[in-house]
Amino acid sequence: MSDTTTEMKLTILGSGTSTGVPQLRCDCPVCRSSDPRDSRLRCSALLQTEGRDLLIDCGPDFRQQMLRYHRDGNLDALLLTHQHYDHVGGIDDLRPYCYYHREPRDFPVYCTREVARALRRSMPYSFAAKKYPGVPTYDIHDIIPYRPFLAAGIEVLPVPAIHSVDYNLQVIGFRVGELAYLTDVKTIAPEAVDALRGVKVLVINALRITEHRSHMSLAQALDVIERINPERACLTHISHSLGLHNDVSPTLPEGVFLAYDGLEITL
């Protein structure tokens, strides 16, 4: 990846896991917390650089996130990490962005072929030969791990990891210059770690304290952070089982901090 001196801002649109926080039917201290940092929409982020706005994942809370953090802004492209509903369930709500200067367009989406197949299965009306008037339409771009691509003119390096060994499910992280964003990672290969070294900011998932079959625990995330060695690391995709923001934050190593909805990270 080439170095860049352009200012970059990442806004955490959602820092929660698939259930969000508070979780329905839960009465734990985190779900009852009055601290807004403990209230987490589903995981997503907005990367802004060089006058472009790139959305990373588009979950079921997308509309609420846009109204809260980017109401009047534009979106130039969508980068998808994988096909699970909490990361793609809001894609139908992209229809207002399927216009550019009021002219209709197919909204650019960058994902692996497997994710593209899942989108076509779940939204056949957007890919039909004869489309119902007004449905959102997409311009799908296949991405290949470790092969850089341009999204709205921004160079992006897709870095693969494993979400679930049991189901052979791959997830894609994205590196843009000195920033990298990974979520829903359970294991990551040495060559992927090598591809992420040199970033100044790493955003990575840490679901909870205890072991989980398809997401890294806090200790596992901290181990990966130590191997990549960024200047700063932000933990996201957090469940209520990680604990209260005010309790967990003081226990983290220097330079590591918890994400919360609306957090802005600048480079």
Side-chain angles (χ1 to χ4, degrees), residues 3-7 267:
D3 291 334
T4 177
T5 57
T6 303
E7 182 176 293
L267 285 81

Side-chain angles (χ1 to χ4, degrees), residues 2 6 20 68 100 115 122 131 135 155 165 167 171 176 191 193 204 209 235 253 266:
S2 58
T6 303
R68 184 179 294 181
Y100 187 73
V115 174
S122 63
K131 298 179 179 65
V135 300
E155 184 178 316
V165 176
Y167 296 94
V171 64
V176 179
E191 55 267 33
V193 170
I204 193 165
I209 301 296
L235 304 176
T266 58

